[in-house]
mmCIF file of all heavy atoms in Angstrom:
data_model
loop_
_atom_site.group_PDB
_atom_site.id
_atom_site.type_symbol
_atom_site.label_atom_id
_atom_site.label_comp_id
_atom_site.label_asym_id
_atom_site.label_seq_id
_atom_site.Cartn_x
_atom_site.Cartn_y
_atom_site.Cartn_z
ATOM 1 N N PRO A 1 10.944 17.291 -4.962
ATOM 2 C CA PRO A 1 10.881 17.980 -6.259
ATOM 3 C C PRO A 1 11.602 17.182 -7.353
ATOM 4 O O PRO A 1 12.786 16.871 -7.233
ATOM 5 C CB PRO A 1 11.589 19.305 -5.987
ATOM 6 C CG PRO A 1 11.377 19.543 -4.527
ATOM 7 C CD PRO A 1 11.437 18.161 -3.903
ATOM 8 N N GLY A 2 10.837 16.770 -8.361
ATOM 9 C CA GLY A 2 11.406 16.077 -9.504
ATOM 10 C C GLY A 2 11.551 14.582 -9.373
ATOM 11 O O GLY A 2 12.028 13.926 -10.289
ATOM 12 N N THR A 3 11.151 13.998 -8.230
ATOM 13 C CA THR A 3 11.288 12.551 -8.078
ATOM 14 C C THR A 3 10.240 11.997 -7.116
ATOM 15 O O THR A 3 9.832 12.660 -6.185
ATOM 16 C CB THR A 3 12.704 12.165 -7.600
ATOM 17 O OG1 THR A 3 12.847 10.760 -7.665
ATOM 18 C CG2 THR A 3 12.990 12.624 -6.206
ATOM 19 N N VAL A 4 9.822 10.776 -7.378
ATOM 20 C CA VAL A 4 8.922 10.054 -6.485
ATOM 21 C C VAL A 4 9.781 9.152 -5.618
ATOM 22 O O VAL A 4 10.667 8.464 -6.134
ATOM 23 C CB VAL A 4 7.909 9.214 -7.287
ATOM 24 C CG1 VAL A 4 7.053 8.361 -6.366
ATOM 25 C CG2 VAL A 4 7.045 10.108 -8.155
ATOM 26 N N ILE A 5 9.555 9.144 -4.307
ATOM 27 C CA ILE A 5 10.368 8.306 -3.431
ATOM 28 C C ILE A 5 9.584 7.147 -2.826
ATOM 29 O O ILE A 5 10.166 6.262 -2.235
ATOM 30 C CB ILE A 5 11.057 9.126 -2.318
ATOM 31 C CG1 ILE A 5 10.036 9.855 -1.465
ATOM 32 C CG2 ILE A 5 12.063 10.077 -2.912
ATOM 33 C CD1 ILE A 5 10.634 10.515 -0.236
ATOM 34 N N GLY A 6 8.271 7.146 -2.981
ATOM 35 C CA GLY A 6 7.510 6.021 -2.456
ATOM 36 C C GLY A 6 6.033 6.323 -2.334
ATOM 37 O O GLY A 6 5.567 7.399 -2.685
ATOM 38 N N TRP A 7 5.320 5.337 -1.840
ATOM 39 C CA TRP A 7 3.893 5.457 -1.597
ATOM 40 C C TRP A 7 3.652 5.720 -0.129
ATOM 41 O O TRP A 7 4.491 5.425 0.719
ATOM 42 C CB TRP A 7 3.194 4.146 -1.922
ATOM 43 C CG TRP A 7 3.003 3.831 -3.356
ATOM 44 C CD1 TRP A 7 3.274 4.622 -4.426
ATOM 45 C CD2 TRP A 7 2.492 2.614 -3.885
ATOM 46 N NE1 TRP A 7 2.955 3.978 -5.576
ATOM 47 C CE2 TRP A 7 2.478 2.746 -5.282
ATOM 48 C CE3 TRP A 7 2.050 1.439 -3.320
ATOM 49 C CZ2 TRP A 7 2.027 1.727 -6.117
ATOM 50 C CZ3 TRP A 7 1.609 0.429 -4.149
ATOM 51 C CH2 TRP A 7 1.601 0.580 -5.525
ATOM 52 N N ASP A 8 2.473 6.214 0.180
ATOM 53 C CA ASP A 8 1.986 6.254 1.552
ATOM 54 C C ASP A 8 1.504 4.835 1.833
ATOM 55 O O ASP A 8 0.448 4.423 1.357
ATOM 56 C CB ASP A 8 0.856 7.268 1.667
ATOM 57 C CG ASP A 8 0.252 7.325 3.053
ATOM 58 O OD1 ASP A 8 0.452 6.378 3.844
ATOM 59 O OD2 ASP A 8 -0.428 8.315 3.352
ATOM 60 N N LEU A 9 2.327 4.057 2.543
ATOM 61 C CA LEU A 9 2.018 2.638 2.719
ATOM 62 C C LEU A 9 0.762 2.416 3.551
ATOM 63 O O LEU A 9 0.056 1.441 3.337
ATOM 64 C CB LEU A 9 3.208 1.897 3.304
ATOM 65 C CG LEU A 9 4.392 1.767 2.347
ATOM 66 C CD1 LEU A 9 5.515 0.970 2.986
ATOM 67 C CD2 LEU A 9 3.990 1.132 1.039
ATOM 68 N N ASN A 10 0.461 3.313 4.498
ATOM 69 C CA ASN A 10 -0.786 3.170 5.254
ATOM 70 C C ASN A 10 -1.981 3.272 4.315
ATOM 71 O O ASN A 10 -2.943 2.503 4.433
ATOM 72 C CB ASN A 10 -0.885 4.226 6.359
ATOM 73 C CG ASN A 10 0.015 3.905 7.521
ATOM 74 O OD1 ASN A 10 0.300 2.759 7.805
ATOM 75 N ND2 ASN A 10 0.469 4.943 8.201
ATOM 76 N N ALA A 11 -1.927 4.199 3.380
ATOM 77 C CA ALA A 11 -3.013 4.345 2.408
ATOM 78 C C ALA A 11 -3.085 3.122 1.501
ATOM 79 O O ALA A 11 -4.179 2.628 1.201
ATOM 80 C CB ALA A 11 -2.817 5.610 1.582
ATOM 81 N N ALA A 12 -1.945 2.609 1.060
ATOM 82 C CA ALA A 12 -1.924 1.440 0.183
ATOM 83 C C ALA A 12 -2.497 0.217 0.899
ATOM 84 O O ALA A 12 -3.276 -0.542 0.315
ATOM 85 C CB ALA A 12 -0.507 1.158 -0.295
ATOM 86 N N LEU A 13 -2.139 0.031 2.167
ATOM 87 C CA LEU A 13 -2.663 -1.109 2.914
ATOM 88 C C LEU A 13 -4.153 -0.930 3.203
ATOM 89 O O LEU A 13 -4.917 -1.904 3.189
ATOM 90 C CB LEU A 13 -1.870 -1.306 4.207
ATOM 91 C CG LEU A 13 -0.422 -1.751 4.010
ATOM 92 C CD1 LEU A 13 0.318 -1.761 5.337
ATOM 93 C CD2 LEU A 13 -0.338 -3.098 3.331
ATOM 94 N N GLY A 14 -4.583 0.308 3.431
ATOM 95 C CA GLY A 14 -6.009 0.583 3.609
ATOM 96 C C GLY A 14 -6.794 0.288 2.351
ATOM 97 O O GLY A 14 -7.896 -0.275 2.406
ATOM 98 N N LEU A 15 -6.246 0.657 1.200
ATOM 99 C CA LEU A 15 -6.895 0.357 -0.077
ATOM 100 C C LEU A 15 -6.977 -1.151 -0.291
ATOM 101 O O LEU A 15 -8.008 -1.671 -0.710
ATOM 102 C CB LEU A 15 -6.126 1.012 -1.218
ATOM 103 C CG LEU A 15 -6.634 0.745 -2.626
ATOM 104 C CD1 LEU A 15 -8.074 1.221 -2.795
ATOM 105 C CD2 LEU A 15 -5.740 1.422 -3.645
ATOM 106 N N ALA A 16 -5.898 -1.854 0.020
ATOM 107 C CA ALA A 16 -5.910 -3.314 -0.110
ATOM 108 C C ALA A 16 -6.997 -3.913 0.772
ATOM 109 O O ALA A 16 -7.731 -4.806 0.342
ATOM 110 C CB ALA A 16 -4.545 -3.883 0.251
ATOM 111 N N ALA A 17 -7.131 -3.425 1.991
ATOM 112 C CA ALA A 17 -8.168 -3.930 2.902
ATOM 113 C C ALA A 17 -9.553 -3.657 2.332
ATOM 114 O O ALA A 17 -10.434 -4.523 2.380
ATOM 115 C CB ALA A 17 -8.018 -3.300 4.274
ATOM 116 N N ALA A 18 -9.750 -2.464 1.781
ATOM 117 C CA ALA A 18 -11.044 -2.112 1.197
ATOM 118 C C ALA A 18 -11.375 -3.009 -0.002
ATOM 119 O O ALA A 18 -12.546 -3.259 -0.280
ATOM 120 C CB ALA A 18 -11.051 -0.647 0.777
ATOM 121 N N LEU A 19 -10.348 -3.479 -0.681
ATOM 122 C CA LEU A 19 -10.556 -4.370 -1.826
ATOM 123 C C LEU A 19 -10.686 -5.833 -1.409
ATOM 124 O O LEU A 19 -10.848 -6.706 -2.250
ATOM 125 C CB LEU A 19 -9.396 -4.220 -2.816
ATOM 126 C CG LEU A 19 -9.316 -2.870 -3.532
ATOM 127 C CD1 LEU A 19 -8.005 -2.748 -4.297
ATOM 128 C CD2 LEU A 19 -10.509 -2.703 -4.463
ATOM 129 N N GLY A 20 -10.568 -6.095 -0.110
ATOM 130 C CA GLY A 20 -10.719 -7.453 0.388
ATOM 131 C C GLY A 20 -9.464 -8.297 0.313
ATOM 132 O O GLY A 20 -9.531 -9.515 0.429
ATOM 133 N N ILE A 21 -8.324 -7.664 0.111
ATOM 134 C CA ILE A 21 -7.060 -8.404 0.049
ATOM 135 C C ILE A 21 -6.608 -8.674 1.484
ATOM 136 O O ILE A 21 -6.516 -7.740 2.285
ATOM 137 C CB ILE A 21 -5.998 -7.602 -0.724
ATOM 138 C CG1 ILE A 21 -6.476 -7.378 -2.168
ATOM 139 C CG2 ILE A 21 -4.651 -8.312 -0.685
ATOM 140 C CD1 ILE A 21 -5.635 -6.402 -2.950
ATOM 141 N N PRO A 22 -6.331 -9.921 1.827
ATOM 142 C CA PRO A 22 -5.911 -10.240 3.200
ATOM 143 C C PRO A 22 -4.643 -9.460 3.589
ATOM 144 O O PRO A 22 -3.717 -9.326 2.771
ATOM 145 C CB PRO A 22 -5.621 -11.734 3.162
ATOM 146 C CG PRO A 22 -6.358 -12.244 1.964
ATOM 147 C CD PRO A 22 -6.386 -11.107 0.982
ATOM 148 N N PRO A 23 -4.593 -8.955 4.819
ATOM 149 C CA PRO A 23 -3.427 -8.166 5.259
ATOM 150 C C PRO A 23 -2.077 -8.842 5.048
ATOM 151 O O PRO A 23 -1.138 -8.179 4.602
ATOM 152 C CB PRO A 23 -3.709 -7.894 6.737
ATOM 153 C CG PRO A 23 -5.206 -7.909 6.824
ATOM 154 C CD PRO A 23 -5.642 -8.982 5.852
ATOM 155 N N PRO A 24 -1.921 -10.144 5.334
ATOM 156 C CA PRO A 24 -0.602 -10.751 5.084
ATOM 157 C C PRO A 24 -0.199 -10.700 3.602
ATOM 158 O O PRO A 24 0.965 -10.478 3.278
ATOM 159 C CB PRO A 24 -0.759 -12.195 5.557
ATOM 160 C CG PRO A 24 -1.876 -12.148 6.549
ATOM 161 C CD PRO A 24 -2.815 -11.092 6.030
ATOM 162 N N ALA A 25 -1.168 -10.895 2.706
ATOM 163 C CA ALA A 25 -0.865 -10.833 1.275
ATOM 164 C C ALA A 25 -0.497 -9.412 0.877
ATOM 165 O O ALA A 25 0.464 -9.196 0.126
ATOM 166 C CB ALA A 25 -2.056 -11.316 0.455
ATOM 167 N N ALA A 26 -1.237 -8.438 1.382
ATOM 168 C CA ALA A 26 -0.946 -7.040 1.063
ATOM 169 C C ALA A 26 0.431 -6.647 1.581
ATOM 170 O O ALA A 26 1.204 -5.995 0.876
ATOM 171 C CB ALA A 26 -2.021 -6.129 1.653
ATOM 172 N N ALA A 27 0.754 -7.060 2.801
ATOM 173 C CA ALA A 27 2.057 -6.727 3.380
ATOM 174 C C ALA A 27 3.201 -7.326 2.566
ATOM 175 O O ALA A 27 4.285 -6.751 2.481
ATOM 176 C CB ALA A 27 2.135 -7.208 4.821
ATOM 177 N N GLU A 28 2.958 -8.462 1.949
ATOM 178 C CA GLU A 28 3.972 -9.115 1.124
ATOM 179 C C GLU A 28 4.093 -8.465 -0.256
ATOM 180 O O GLU A 28 5.196 -8.295 -0.787
ATOM 181 C CB GLU A 28 3.607 -10.593 0.963
ATOM 182 C CG GLU A 28 4.663 -11.435 0.312
ATOM 183 C CD GLU A 28 5.828 -11.747 1.225
ATOM 184 O OE1 GLU A 28 5.655 -11.754 2.456
ATOM 185 O OE2 GLU A 28 6.929 -11.960 0.694
#
């Protein structure tokens, strides 16, 4: 409540994969 603490990293890495970003680059 009242603050953001982070992203769902699994979703962010999945989005990166869908965009064609190589996993090592996304992880970095």
Side-chain angles (χ1 to χ4, degrees):
T3 189
V4 175
I5 59 172
W7 284 354
D8 177 342
L9 291 182
N10 285 331
L13 292 173
L15 177 60
L19 292 170
I21 298 170
E28 189 75 26

